[in-house]
Amino acid sequence: AETINDTCIKTDAPLFVDAANGDYRLQAESPLVKAGVLTASYGAMGLTDLIGTPHNAKKPSIGCYEYREPKLDRTGLMLLVR
């Protein structure tokens, strides 16, 4: 088990979208989604992740990419979110 702080321990697989091909965004089922803890260094790491997605100000995801909910178009089809 890796202890990140007193309240955050993660041992589950991170469930990246496609780690074999370098896509380290999180799947919806990832245990890292909204599992982060805000710390004093939150401001120092910036207000967005590596691709410019704003961090969730209350419950950020763990990792370099903030999880984004899939978007639906007007017909109900899911749009690809990158």
Side-chain angles (χ1 to χ4, degrees):
E2 178 183 354
T3 303
I4 297 169
N5 64 36
D6 292 340
T7 61
C8 189
I9 299 172
K10 293 293 168 198
T11 58
D12 300 327
L15 300 179
F16 296 125
V17 170
D18 188 3
N21 290 304
D23 188 346
Y24 294 103
R25 291 174 300 129
L26 301 174
Q27 295 179 32
E29 305 81 23
S30 171
L32 305 180
V33 173
K34 295 184 182 178
V37 176
L38 294 179
T39 65
S41 65
Y42 177 72
M45 72 179 187
L47 300 177
T48 63
D49 67 9
L50 292 178
I51 59 174
T53 304
H55 288 293
N56 182 317
K58 294 181 181 177
K59 295 291 287 182
S61 296
I62 295 173
C64 59
Y65 297 109
E66 186 67 35
Y67 175 73
R68 294 173 62 178
E69 295 285 334
K71 304 287 185 203
L72 300 178
D73 70 9
R74 285 187 260 163
T75 66
L77 295 174
M78 187 179 301
L79 301 175
L80 180 61
V81 178
R82 288 230 174 223

